[in-house]
Amino acid sequence: MYEPIRAKSVHSTVDGPNPDFPHRSREEELDIQLAGHLAALLAVTDELRATQASTDLDTAAERLAEQVSRLRGGRTPVRAPMSARPEQGTTALHRRAHALAGRALVVAASRADTAAAILAAERMDAHTAALEPRPLASR
């Protein structure tokens, strides 16, 4: 009913893994994922910085850049120019940043990276606070 497999697997052989096939450890894969999430969060943070001046956003951007650089072996992340105007409103940017920080937190927790996990949790809190409606000032 079924035809037997006639070709050898490209992923492994009887002698072990194929040396021509690239292999990365779980930790390396998690580093790549975490660096990607933090770099995306840095890009959104830079977009927010273009719309509103904030020392909190400036500090967060620098800390994010440090973490991305650490995870990428010292390579500096690409940064958005401050003169660029965001295509989305600030509410949408804060929502995107919150989601990205959540993804980074999950990966940082799974690789036991405390510094990145703390930074991601702080950014989630900051973007949650930015999304909360503010009470109207009394007249």
Side-chain angles (χ1 to χ4, degrees):
M1 179 176 251
Y2 295 103
E3 187 170 334
I5 298 172
R6 295 182 183 174
K8 289 183 178 181
S9 171
V10 296
H11 299 292
S12 64
T13 63
V14 175
D15 299 329
N18 186 345
D20 296 332
F21 190 73
H23 297 280
R24 287 192 283 255
S25 68
R26 180 176 188 276
E27 291 77 24
E28 290 171 321
E29 289 292 339
L30 290 174
D31 283 349
I32 292 167
Q33 283 184 21
L34 182 56
H37 291 315
L38 291 176
L41 180 56
L42 175 59
V44 175
T45 302
D46 282 340
E47 286 184 61
L48 282 166
R49 289 174 60 220
T51 63
Q52 57 195 43
S54 167
T55 57
D56 178 51
L57 288 173
D58 294 341
T59 303
E62 290 307 313
R63 290 177 62 201
L64 287 165
E66 288 171 10
Q67 290 298 318
V68 172
S69 180
R70 175 182 63 88
L71 291 165
R72 290 185 175 166
R75 291 190 318 237
T76 306
V78 176
R79 303 287 302 268
M82 288 299 295
S83 61
R85 300 307 285 167
E87 297 172 8
Q88 302 175 355
T90 57
T91 301
L93 289 173
H94 281 294
R95 283 192 183 118
R96 256 181 63 209
H98 185 271
L100 288 166
R103 290 182 191 133
L105 179 59
V106 169
V107 177
S110 67
R111 79 176 286 280
D113 187 332
T114 307
I118 290 170
L119 177 58
E122 289 173 356
R123 296 317 309 150
M124 283 183 74
D125 290 344
H127 293 295
T128 298
L131 289 169
E132 290 177 354
R134 292 181 170 70
L136 297 174
S138 58
R139 295 178 188 208

